């Protein structure tokens, strides 16, 4: 069988699986035994929990908000009343008591990145499943410790990569993998926003500008979406990276990068079994920043056209085009969809699409990107 035919067949099979996963067929559950909604404990009641996750947990078919953990007494009281949480409201000092809370099946970590490892590991030790926001942790080493802790405790670990469940992204993967633009040759992706002026560390050190809590700058926070886009469009891991940073505000950005541009080389999507000179490689060019807003896209290029998502990573209103034709798809509540997907995998004992290893792979690439930016050299990405 020709390499191209084999690619098309595997690509189509892969996209069929993705489409099936994305549709989250309600029949799976109508036919299944367990219709109970899993109870989620949100840990960290900041912007994401308040604005997105709590509302999403009112819409989910297989999950509900069961408990919260917060350091602020007034927030605990507010959430207890608003969501009728009764005694299932905890301070950080009481975190480990989640072990004895039968209403909680899954602990959802929504804390600053630098706290993800500690709270995931302690969460696993309570015997509850753990869902952790992106980026999984500050370092690849922490990711390995989180994976090991969840394995040891026999609980599932999922990472919050909502775009992997979003219809525009799934359609983009399908279009590229099935060869609609011909053999994939290039990728361009970027995501950033302007960090507000009041985040100046001299006035108020926001955790996103604090290296110990954020692990890095915009690459850790939003550049990770561009990295993810390139990884799931190709279905491959980057081999090597180059990177450089620019800086206009050395006071605000004294601990983390302000703007970072990087390139990645991926193996050919056609297969590594081709002789070296014929093995087309895919080049990705990416940008992330805290210095300007509006860069929010992912594009894949082949000889027969391109696939474009723009805006690509927002919560609502995504737009996608295949060879210039609009995708005309709706953007669902991405958080409700991913939480339901994780809940189903917990209930059915089936693999989750974004396990800890997926977060680890991102951190391995991110560490290589930071090293490349620091040394100015092409840097190979370590393997899992
Ligand atoms: P946030 O600053 O709004 O909330 C963080 C919460 O952590 C706050 O309630 C804060 O009080 C609490 N906290 C506990 N200990 C803290 C400490 N030592 N220092 C600072 N805060 C502490 O942040 P957020 O935007 O809700 O982000 C939380 C996590 O969610 C991050 O990991 C972020 O990357 C992730 N996130 C994901 C998405 C997504 O689309 N998946 C979107 C936004 C944020």
């Amino acid at each position: 069988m020709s390499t191209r035919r084999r690619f098309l067949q595997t690509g189509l099979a892969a996209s069929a699986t993705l489409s099936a996963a994305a549709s989250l067929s309600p029949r799976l559950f109508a036919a299944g035994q367990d219709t109970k909604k899993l109870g989620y404990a949100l840990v960290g009641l900041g912007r994401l929990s308040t604005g997105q996750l709590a509302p999403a947990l009112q819409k989910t078919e297989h999950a509900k908000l069961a408990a919260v953990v917060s350091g602020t007494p007034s927030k605990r009281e507010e959430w207890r009343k608003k969501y009728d949480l009764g005694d299932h409201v905890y301070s950080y000092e009481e975190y480990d008591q989640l072990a004895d809370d039968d209403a909680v099946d899954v602990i959802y970590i929504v804390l600053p990145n630098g706290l993800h490892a500690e709270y995931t590991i302690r969460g696993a030790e309570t015997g509850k499943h753990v869902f952790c926001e992106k980026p999984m942790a500050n370092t690849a080493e922490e990711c390995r410790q989180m994976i090991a802790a969840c394995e040891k405790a026999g609980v599932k670990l999922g990472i919050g990569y909502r775009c992997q469940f979003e219809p525009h992204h799934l359609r983009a993967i399908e279009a590229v993998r099935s060869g609609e633009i011909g053999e994939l040759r290039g990728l361009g992706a970027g995501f950033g926003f302007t960090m507000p002026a009041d985040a100046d560390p001299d006035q108020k050190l926001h955790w996103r500008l604090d290296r110990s809590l954020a692990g890095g700058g915009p690459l850790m926070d939003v550049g990770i979406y561009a990295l993810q886009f390139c990884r799931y469009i190709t279905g491959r891991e980057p081999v090597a990276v180059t990177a450089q940073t620019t800086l206009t505000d050395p006071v605000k950005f004294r601990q983390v990068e302000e703007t970072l541009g990087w390139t990645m080389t991926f193996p050919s999507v056609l297969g590594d079994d081709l002789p070296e000179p014929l093995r087309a490689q895919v080049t990705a060019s990416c940008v992330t920043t805290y210095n300007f807003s509006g860069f929010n896209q992912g594009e894949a290029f082949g000889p027969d056209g391109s696939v474009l998502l723009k805006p690509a990573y927002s919560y609502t209103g995504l737009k996608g085009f295949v060879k210039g034709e609009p995708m005309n798809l709706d953007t669902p509540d991405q958080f409700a969809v991913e939480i339901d997907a994780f809940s189903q995998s917990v209930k059915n004992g089936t693999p989750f699409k974004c396990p800890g290893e997926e977060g680890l792979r991102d951190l391995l690439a991110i560490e290589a990107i930071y090293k490349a930016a620091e040394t100015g050299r092409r840097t190979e990405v370590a393997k899992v």
Side-chain angles (χ1 to χ4, degrees):
M1 194 192 301
S2 77
T3 307
R4 179 162 181 85
R5 215 159 77 226
R6 197 164 60 242
F7 157 65
L8 284 174
Q9 283 183 1
T10 350
L12 286 169
S15 56
T17 314
L18 284 164
S19 306
S23 70
L24 297 175
S25 166
R27 266 200 275 151
L28 200 66
F29 265 79
Q33 306 299 312
D34 189 356
T35 51
K36 172 185 178 275
K37 288 190 179 195
L38 298 185
Y40 276 64
L42 288 179
V43 184
L45 303 180
R47 285 184 57 183
L48 185 67
S49 286
T50 307
Q52 311 301 325
L53 302 181
L57 282 161
Q58 310 307 306
K59 299 177 203 161
T60 37
E61 211 180 319
H62 305 290
K64 63 180 178 194
L65 180 62
V68 292
V69 180
S70 166
T72 315
S74 59
K75 269 196 212 169
R76 293 200 292 270
E77 214 30 56
E78 189 190 317
W79 281 65
R80 183 203 308 276
K81 282 194 195 123
K82 182 164 182 190
Y83 294 106
D84 197 17
L85 294 172
D87 294 338
H88 308 279
V89 172
Y90 301 86
S91 65
Y92 291 111
E93 290 71 33
E94 295 164 334
Y95 177 64
D96 304 294
Q97 294 174 19
L98 286 173
D100 302 319
D101 191 333
D102 292 339
V104 175
D105 302 290
V106 178
I107 296 177
Y108 191 155
I109 313 295
V110 207
L111 292 166
N113 312 338
L115 301 173
H116 289 184
E118 179 196 335
Y119 280 84
T120 293
I121 292 167
R122 282 170 60 191
E125 285 166 359
T126 68
K128 310 290 180 178
H129 302 282
V130 181
F131 195 78
C132 178
E133 261 310 325
K134 50 53 63 178
M136 181 169 167
N138 278 6
T139 65
E141 178 49 34
E142 284 181 343
C143 296
R144 293 190 201 282
Q145 290 168 10
M146 294 157 80
I147 292 168
C150 290
E151 269 171 16
K152 187 171 169 210
V155 300
K156 254 190 203 301
L157 173 59
I159 309 302
Y161 289 124
R162 58 185 165 78
C163 293
Q164 292 213 29
F165 301 88
E166 201 287 324
H168 294 82
H169 289 260
L170 295 172
R171 173 72 185 109
I173 294 168
E174 179 186 64
V176 170
R177 303 261 191 100
S178 64
E180 287 178 51
I181 56 169
E183 174 195 319
L184 179 66
R185 294 191 180 160
L187 292 157
F191 195 22
F193 66 92
T194 309
M195 183 57 74
D198 66 1
D200 186 322
D202 280 340
Q203 299 161 26
K204 178 184 163 203
L205 185 62
H206 187 280
W207 71 260
R208 282 183 163 86
L209 300 175
D210 177 335
R211 177 164 293 281
S212 65
L213 283 172
L219 176 59
M220 292 290 282
D221 193 25
V222 285
I224 194 169
Y225 287 92
L227 167 62
Q228 274 270 303
F229 177 84
C230 297
R231 287 188 49 244
Y232 53 68
I233 286 286
T234 57
R236 301 296 179 104
E237 296 310 317
V239 176
V241 302
T242 64
Q244 56 189 330
T245 56
T246 52
L247 180 63
T248 64
D249 186 340
V251 176
K252 196 195 282 183
F253 298 102
R254 65 177 185 222
Q255 291 198 12
V256 301
E257 80 278 4
E258 179 179 2
T259 297
L260 190 149
W262 78 98
T263 69
M264 296 183 281
T265 310
F266 287 83
S268 164
V269 176
L270 281 180
D272 299 332
D273 49 346
L274 287 173
E276 185 77 47
L278 298 178
R279 198 186 298 163
Q281 293 194 332
V282 179
T283 297
S285 181
C286 303
V287 172
T288 187
T289 184
Y290 276 158
N291 193 31
F292 55 90
S293 296
F295 203 177
N296 179 352
Q297 70 186 71
E299 191 159 17
F301 303 88
D304 301 337
S306 73
V307 174
L308 170 66
L309 300 184
K310 185 180 179 181
Y313 315 109
S314 311
Y315 296 153
T316 56
L318 303 194
K319 288 200 167 46
F321 305 85
V322 177
K323 296 205 265 191
E325 290 298 318
M327 290 180 181
N328 290 326
L329 295 166
D330 291 331
T331 310
D333 183 321
Q334 300 173 53
F335 296 97
V337 175
E338 74 171 347
I339 291 169
D340 265 339
F342 185 68
S343 306
Q344 283 178 302
S345 83
V346 167
K347 286 190 194 180
N348 298 342
T350 48
F352 181 58
K353 197 177 177 186
C354 302
E357 288 74 11
E358 179 68 0
L360 169 60
R361 288 190 193 99
D362 274 351
L363 260 298
L364 290 170
I366 285 172
E367 288 183 345
I369 293 165
Y370 279 137
K371 191 169 167 203
E374 201 183 303
T375 61
R377 296 211 186 94
R378 176 186 183 274
T379 304
E380 294 201 355
V381 179
K383 304 253 186 301
V384 169

